[in-house]
Amino acid sequence: MRLPTATYRLQFNASQTIAAVRATLPYLESLGVSDLYASPLSAARAGSNHGYDVVDPRRVNPEIGTLDELRGLGEALRGRGMGLILDLVPNHMCISDPDNVWWQDVLENGPASPYASWFDIDWNPPKSDLRNKVLFPMLGAQYGWAVEQHELVVRLEEQEGAFRLHYGALVMPLAPKSWTHILEPALARLRETRDPEDADVLELESILTAIGHLPSRTDLAPHKLRERQREKRIIKRRLAALLAASPDAHDAVDDSLAGLNGGRDDPAELARLERLLDEQAYRLSFWRVAADEINYRRFFDVNDLAAIRVEDPQVFRAVHELTFQLVRDGVVTGLRIDHVDGLRDPHGYLRQLQRQLGSANGEERFYVVVEKILLGDERLPEAWPVAGTTGYDALGLLDRVLTAPEGEAPLRATWESFARGTPHYDDVSYHSRKLVLRASLSSELTVLSRKLDRISEQHRYTRDFTLNGLLDALREVIACFPVYRTYCRDGEPVSETDRDVIARAIEDALHRNPATNASLFEFIGVLLTLDHPPGLTEAQRQQRRDFVLRTQQLTSAVMAKGTEDTAFYRWYPLASLNEVGGEPDRFQVPLDTFHAANRERLRRAPGGLVATSTHDTKRSEEVRARVRVLSELPAEWSAAVQRWHEWNLPLKTMRRGREMPDRTAEYLFYQTLVGVWPPGNDGSALPDEFVERLQRYMEKALREAKVHTSWVSPFEAYETAAHDFITRTLEARESAGFTQDVARFVARALRPGLWSGLSEVLLKITVPGVPDFYQGTEIWEYRLVDPDNRGRVDFGERQALLRALDEAEQREGPDLLCALAERPEDPRAKLWVTSRALRFRRREATLFQRGTYEPLTPRGVRARHVVCFGRRANDRHVVVAAGRWFARLLESMQPDRIPVGRTVWDDTAIALPREWEGERYRDVLTGRDVAATVEGDVALLPLADVFARLPLALLERIA
């Protein structure tokens, strides 16, 4: 298996094409990157800036380039010894774009479509008007309004010989049998001007007769399906030919369409349109209806991303056709699997994937990483044939080891007193998940509850349970899940790990609902662990297995939407910890826990990614680094927040005695402001673009929180008040010194945050795993959640900076590094650490990919302020040391002091294994030589020497 040494994530879209990316390869190679890590490259919705809204997985997105250009990129990468990791989307497809021909066929033909089983659609839901139909909730207003306002327009596709329904940019096919509502009025008009025996009249009559004889879309006999497809194609060709040859026939159809589309403003025409719409294999509706009635599985709660049944071998082959071709051609050397928890059977999928990629038994052979969130002590299932995760677990570990533990209690106290926030994160997360289940994922819960009700009737002990009781109990159990999902598989015993997860969920649900019949929860627990009662038929057992597999898919969506996209915007004593895959209530990890986790990653998943910023992170690593400095300045922070609130209270909007925005939103705003504040800005004037970015971010944060406003029901008055509050507070003439005071506070946190950020970069590159860099983050990037973090990257600027650094190093030597240390806010400082460490890692690939990980113990007064470890392979070894908690380290010194030398590090030293006695090292970052000394029975590296120029070091053994 080809293992990358470092990956670089690129977002391909119309502004960052294959050709543009190919031009960056010399720079990325010079930076030290071994593999490009590409966003999805398949054809996506027009204008997509991320590629996850795939419309055709079998072809390259034309907005980014061609298949030949992609092959050329692969050839260019191979020529440099580099690889390409492709982000793969096996869960869902975008269904609001007419280029999705599979979904368009489903809309036209319903259950008779050859692709009807490719999507996870319930063709027989309890609601009678959806039998053999799919709900299509794409309208921006109520259905009746859209009809009466003539927003639904029927148009003729002349070359195709078909009719389509248009709603803005949305295009939907019309079932051929429903064309009679268009063609019969057209025939009547044609008869008015033509002889009954006229060839055009007879042909249109014949077409209508053929339409009438089409097999029903509910007749699924194989020969009827073939007949329907064949005859439908013939009808379209005949209609296209007739309309092309007969102007009168064309005019008659145009006149019929004009009436249908409101041209005659006749109520009878509205009725005709409604009859036509009623005959479709889909029911158009207001988008909010989806929460309660949708009958296809979605990607989370996104209506226009429909789940696909990739567990079906035919679907699997079609979805991966292009990917396997690119692997065979040597273009793609690795895969990233998006949202693996959304799959029905992740283990089975991954084994099938490896088999198709060349592994005879489906075991790990090809480089594959999965987007998987691990919570608490959860581990990636060992049986999965993958190299590891996409790195959110490592991200959380790095964040917490650099967060000062002393700040936890005072920061929580400040949060609870100022923001009047709930003290327990578990409660916030639980209620957020329940909210999601009641609102955006209500229909999914209802479907499962009906399945549960049918299962309960299989046995005398459970038949008295009611549908409402089961629905409520199931909601509670899912809301209490401690992880994203379990991994029970069809035909296999439930693992002890999964049993423990289910038991914890049941126990928590019982604890939170003492007034609910405990037997309801016990029944669900037995069902989820597949402990079947005796006497069931195989069909009944299969019903139970299907329920469990579908429930597992739902719990992952609930955790993602309820926790990451709701609770993370409601509870934030320290917002730097509110990150994808993070656990905000776990402030800090002890060094022994940090080392144990790294050793575990080396043992179990040395090829997993180590990420610090991604396209999905809530804040870039720089923003988090500065915000986590608050853990070192809790008293100053508490005083500042109170001071700012008193100054800014007059700038709020008051509504019925309540502040708008409220204090919790205000608290998030202040943390965000500190995190993204432009370095060096004194607060006298802030760029308009900066203010607008904050306004956009806060609008998204408030809607995600779903407290006063939401995406479903935006509260315009509240959002306007928040928008105006940001404008007023950031205009110096209105805020009475607020911005200048923020600037002074940021100046206190700025450099400690920068040094912490540099330590994070070094740790990311040197701990076990593959360091992953999100586009542009090799220099300081103060970005927030998407779309703020998905802007275009100026690679020309970065290439020029790196070239200038390399040239300056040759000219100036140590003087250059001294200059960078004096001004760590210089983007070149981060670029220096990144490029020097990555280049060294690439040279010493074996050492970092396979070498041992050896925790080292710091000693002395400042021992708590350093993270250190060794990596060793054969006769090669390195020592890594990274400072931390710089604000506390320098609290008695000038804030702009460089945290280096004996004055800072005093007697502190790194204790080495005795066999390393007498070793000499050269710092890859500074070029300085350092020798290990002996004190008693221990070899020591004095930090005053190690950190003589930078408070971080990558020491290579030289003797």
Side-chain angles (χ1 to χ4, degrees):
M1 180 174 63
R2 183 187 186 281
L3 199 63
T5 61
T7 59
Y8 193 94
R9 170 74 180 205
L10 284 163
Q11 296 293 108
F12 284 77
N13 49 50
S15 62
Q16 190 156 272
T17 62
I18 294 171
V21 166
R22 184 170 179 175
T24 69
L25 295 188
Y27 162 68
L28 295 176
E29 181 187 22
S30 179
L31 185 64
V33 170
S34 71
D35 287 64
L36 296 191
Y37 165 22
S39 62
L41 302 180
S42 297
R45 176 177 18 208
S48 173
N49 69 350
H50 49 73
Y52 286 102
D53 37 13
V54 174
V55 296
D56 188 348
R58 302 165 301 175
R59 58 188 179 92
V60 175
N61 187 350
E63 293 188 355
I64 67 170
T66 65
L67 180 57
D68 285 342
E69 286 180 308
L70 186 52
R71 286 177 172 142
L73 175 63
E75 184 178 350
L77 286 165
R78 286 195 301 276
R80 297 178 180 274
M82 300 173 72
L84 177 65
I85 299 169
L86 178 62
D87 197 342
L88 197 58
V89 187
N91 274 290
H92 61 269
M93 294 181 71
C94 174
I95 57 175
S96 60
D97 190 300
D99 284 344
N100 186 337
V101 294
W102 298 344
W103 184 259
Q104 289 283 301
D105 196 282
V106 169
L107 292 182
E108 181 178 336
N109 299 293
S113 169
Y115 309 108
S117 63
W118 289 34
F119 297 91
D120 205 344
I121 301 169
D122 181 4
W123 292 105
N124 190 32
K127 196 170 175 62
S128 60
D129 67 345
L130 282 177
R131 299 284 170 84
N132 296 309
K133 289 190 176 189
V134 60
L135 185 74
F136 203 35
M138 297 294 162
L139 301 181
Q142 296 288 344
Y143 169 77
W145 175 267
V147 170
E148 291 180 4
Q149 296 301 310
H150 308 299
E151 294 180 351
L152 298 168
V153 179
V154 179
R155 292 177 183 162
L156 168 67
E157 305 292 336
E158 297 190 26
Q159 292 185 337
E160 184 185 354
F163 296 95
R164 295 191 181 277
L165 183 68
H166 292 248
Y167 176 74
L170 188 66
V171 181
M172 297 147 283
L174 292 174
K177 272 188 170 290
S178 70
W179 295 357
T180 57
H181 296 288
I182 303 166
L183 297 180
E184 285 179 351
L187 177 61
R189 170 166 172 170
L190 190 60
R191 283 171 173 162
E192 293 174 359
T193 58
R194 293 290 192 92
D195 186 278
E197 299 302 315
D198 181 87
D200 293 345
V201 173
L202 294 176
E203 175 62 2
L204 187 51
E205 288 176 343
S206 178
I207 290 173
L208 279 163
T209 300
I211 289 173
H213 284 91
L214 276 174
S216 166
R217 62 171 175 259
T218 60
D219 190 341
L220 304 184
H223 71 283
K224 289 294 185 179
L225 292 176
R226 291 191 294 272
E227 178 186 344
R228 177 183 172 84
Q229 292 294 328
R230 182 183 65 250
E231 293 302 316
K232 190 177 60 167
R233 288 193 295 269
I234 293 171
I235 289 168
K236 289 180 178 180
R237 286 199 299 268
R238 290 176 63 188
L239 182 61
L242 171 64
L243 298 181
S246 172
D248 286 346
H250 199 294
D251 288 346
V253 169
D254 285 346
D255 182 70
S256 178
L257 290 176
L260 196 66
N261 293 326
R264 289 191 279 272
D265 197 22
D266 183 351
E269 296 287 14
L270 284 180
R272 178 162 67 108
L273 177 61
E274 284 201 82
R275 289 195 299 273
L276 180 144
L277 296 176
D278 285 344
E279 293 183 16
Q280 304 311 312
Y282 52 90
R283 196 195 98 196
L284 275 172
S285 73
F286 186 27
W287 63 271
R288 291 188 185 180
V289 172
D292 295 318
E293 293 188 0
I294 202 163
N295 62 329
Y296 62 88
R297 191 165 59 85
R298 300 169 290 176
F299 176 73
F300 298 149
D301 58 353
V302 184
N303 291 350
D304 61 353
L305 295 180
I308 49 178
R309 298 182 61 251
V310 74
E311 64 272 13
D312 182 314
Q314 190 178 11
V315 180
F316 181 92
R317 287 192 297 272
V319 167
H320 296 85
E321 179 182 307
L322 175 63
T323 300
F324 293 154
Q325 179 184 345
L326 293 172
V327 171
R328 288 193 299 270
D329 292 346
V331 175
V332 169
T333 57
L335 294 174
R336 181 253 198 199
I337 309 303
D338 180 59
H339 186 47
V340 72
D341 277 345
L343 299 171
R344 182 177 174 91
D345 177 13
H347 184 193
Y349 167 82
L350 293 167
R351 285 181 63 88
Q352 177 66 8
L353 190 67
Q354 288 287 359
R355 277 194 289 269
Q356 293 298 319
L357 293 169
S359 172
N361 60 3
E363 295 303 318
E364 179 184 357
R365 183 175 183 270
F366 193 77
Y367 183 74
V368 176
V369 291
V370 291
E371 186 199 27
K372 164 63 188 166
I373 306 300
L374 300 170
L375 296 181
D377 298 325
E378 184 185 10
R379 295 177 175 178
L380 195 67
E382 287 198 36
W384 287 9
V386 297
T389 73
T390 54
Y392 290 121
D393 47 327
L395 182 156
L397 190 70
L398 290 171
D399 264 348
R400 292 198 299 274
V401 81
L402 297 173
T403 300
E406 293 84 358
E408 178 173 0
L411 284 176
R412 287 198 182 197
T414 299
W415 156 255
E416 291 168 25
S417 62
F418 174 82
R420 298 163 186 165
T422 305
H424 300 296
Y425 171 72
D426 284 347
D427 292 337
V428 174
S429 184
Y430 159 75
H431 287 295
S432 296
R433 293 197 288 270
K434 280 188 67 174
L435 172 64
V436 166
L437 282 165
R438 283 197 307 270
S440 56
L441 294 175
S442 171
S443 59
E444 285 81 356
L445 179 66
T446 299
V447 169
L448 274 178
S449 300
R450 291 193 177 105
K451 290 179 181 293
L452 186 59
D453 186 41
R454 288 193 290 271
I455 290 170
S456 73
E457 294 170 357
Q458 294 174 354
H459 200 277
R460 59 182 176 274
Y461 290 138
T462 56
R463 64 179 295 174
D464 284 345
F465 292 151
T466 65
L467 175 59
N468 287 341
L470 289 167
L471 186 149
D472 290 341
L474 183 59
R475 180 191 294 117
E476 290 295 326
V477 171
I478 291 175
C480 290
F481 249 62
V483 295
Y484 274 64
R485 62 168 284 174
T486 52
Y487 298 97
C488 306
R489 301 189 68 207
D490 199 347
E492 292 187 6
V494 178
S495 70
E496 289 304 313
T497 298
D498 286 344
R499 285 183 177 276
D500 179 62
V501 167
I502 294 163
R504 287 161 62 192
I506 298 298
E507 182 180 350
D508 194 15
L510 281 165
H511 172 72
R512 291 182 180 276
N513 298 272
T516 301
N517 183 353
S519 60
L520 283 165
F521 297 121
E522 293 165 0
F523 166 57
I524 293 172
V526 168
L527 183 55
L528 291 178
T529 52
L530 292 174
D531 293 329
H532 305 308
L536 297 181
T537 66
E538 180 53 34
Q540 289 173 326
R541 287 191 175 91
Q542 186 55 47
Q543 265 188 293
R544 290 168 174 249
R545 289 193 290 265
D546 180 69
F547 171 82
V548 171
L549 296 176
R550 287 180 176 273
T551 300
Q552 291 178 150
Q553 289 176 291
L554 179 59
T555 61
S556 65
V558 171
M559 183 68 80
K561 298 305 295 181
T563 302
E564 292 175 29
D565 292 344
T566 306
F568 278 14
Y569 291 96
R570 291 182 169 196
W571 197 90
Y572 31 79
L574 186 62
S576 57
L577 300 176
N578 291 44
E579 196 46 85
V580 179
E583 296 169 89
D585 58 333
R586 299 179 69 185
F587 264 62
Q588 206 262 344
V589 293
L591 278 177
D592 57 351
T593 304
F594 175 77
H595 291 314
N598 286 326
R599 279 183 152 173
E600 183 75 359
R601 189 182 313 111
L602 179 61
R603 184 182 74 83
R604 292 167 56 91
L609 299 186
V610 179
T612 46
S613 289
T614 76
H615 60 287
D616 278 336
T617 43
K618 311 292 186 187
R619 298 160 187 85
S620 67
E621 57 209 59
E622 286 78 25
V623 176
R624 293 200 310 275
R626 197 190 293 171
V627 171
R628 67 174 171 249
V629 174
L630 301 183
S631 69
E632 304 172 54
L633 306 171
E636 294 95 321
W637 169 248
S638 180
V641 167
Q642 190 58 49
R643 187 168 63 246
W644 298 341
H645 173 69
E646 291 172 2
W647 285 348
N648 294 332
L649 186 58
L651 305 180
K652 287 192 173 187
T653 300
M654 301 300 294
R655 182 185 176 94
R656 297 173 184 169
R658 296 183 179 180
E659 303 172 17
M660 292 174 38
D662 67 10
R663 292 165 71 103
T664 55
E666 185 182 1
Y667 196 76
L668 177 61
F669 169 61
Y670 291 149
Q671 287 194 72
T672 305
L673 194 58
V674 168
V676 300
W677 189 268
N681 190 293
D682 64 2
S684 58
L686 289 163
D688 291 342
E689 182 267 344
F690 175 76
V691 177
E692 291 165 4
R693 284 177 55 213
L694 279 168
Q695 289 169 332
R696 288 194 297 269
Y697 168 76
M698 286 303 298
E699 178 182 285
K700 178 168 184 170
L702 294 172
R703 290 185 177 185
E704 295 284 21
K706 307 172 188 68
V707 176
H708 299 289
T709 186
S710 69
W711 298 106
V712 174
S713 299
F715 183 12
E716 187 176 340
Y718 190 87
E719 292 181 1
T720 299
H723 183 282
D724 293 345
F725 178 72
I726 294 170
T727 301
R728 293 165 186 159
T729 57
L730 299 183
E731 287 183 353
R733 66 177 180 273
E734 284 200 47
S735 58
F738 166 67
T739 52
Q740 288 82 3
D741 198 55
V742 172
R744 286 190 291 271
F745 185 91
V746 169
R748 176 83 169 88
L750 176 63
R751 290 199 169 179
L754 292 169
W755 294 119
S756 180
L758 291 177
S759 289
E760 186 175 27
V761 171
L762 180 62
L763 292 174
K764 173 170 78 170
I765 293 173
T766 54
V767 298
V770 178
D772 172 48
F773 286 80
Y774 182 60
Q775 58 180 28
T777 58
E778 61 271 27
I779 66 174
W780 304 121
E781 279 283 303
Y782 297 92
R783 292 290 173 182
L784 295 166
V785 71
D786 68 286
D788 193 56
N789 65 359
R790 295 185 182 179
R792 190 172 184 178
V793 177
D794 188 343
F795 285 106
E797 174 200 16
R798 286 158 176 77
Q799 187 164 10
L801 283 174
L802 184 57
R803 186 184 301 115
L805 265 182
D806 292 341
E807 294 171 354
E809 182 185 17
Q810 296 298 320
R811 294 192 313 270
E812 303 173 31
D815 292 340
L816 170 64
L817 191 59
C818 290
L820 291 178
E822 289 284 350
R823 286 186 51 79
E825 57 269 30
D826 187 323
R828 296 179 302 166
K830 187 178 184 185
L831 187 60
W832 175 277
V833 173
T834 301
S835 59
R836 271 54 192 171
L838 281 181
R839 290 171 180 177
F840 179 73
R841 181 187 172 95
R842 185 172 57 193
R843 291 197 303 271
E844 299 288 347
T846 300
L847 172 66
F848 287 102
Q849 290 174 347
R850 300 175 187 167
T852 61
Y853 178 91
E854 303 183 19
L856 300 176
T857 304
R859 297 182 173 186
V861 175
R862 308 293 191 187
R864 296 180 68 249
H865 288 272
V866 63
V867 179
C868 49
F869 54 86
R871 303 295 309 273
R872 180 161 55 171
N874 302 322
D875 63 339
R876 301 289 293 155
H877 79 256
V878 296
V879 172
V880 178
R884 61 176 179 169
W885 309 340
F886 294 99
R888 294 180 64 85
L889 186 69
L890 300 174
E891 59 188 349
S892 61
M893 307 177 190
Q894 294 179 348
D896 60 347
R897 180 183 175 86
I898 305 172
V900 297
R902 186 163 300 280
T903 305
V904 176
W905 294 101
D906 196 24
D907 65 338
T908 310
I910 301 172
L912 302 176
R914 183 58 188 262
E915 61 267 26
W916 294 4
E917 172 188 338
E919 299 283 18
R920 292 185 60 79
Y921 299 90
R922 179 164 296 145
D923 187 358
V924 172
L925 303 178
T926 67
R928 276 179 56 85
D929 290 356
V930 182
T933 62
V934 177
E935 188 174 300
D937 61 348
V938 179
L940 298 174
L941 279 174
L943 280 181
D945 293 337
V946 173
F947 290 166
R949 289 181 180 161
L950 286 176
L952 55 152
L954 174 53
L955 303 175
E956 174 188 14
R957 174 183 175 273
I958 57 174

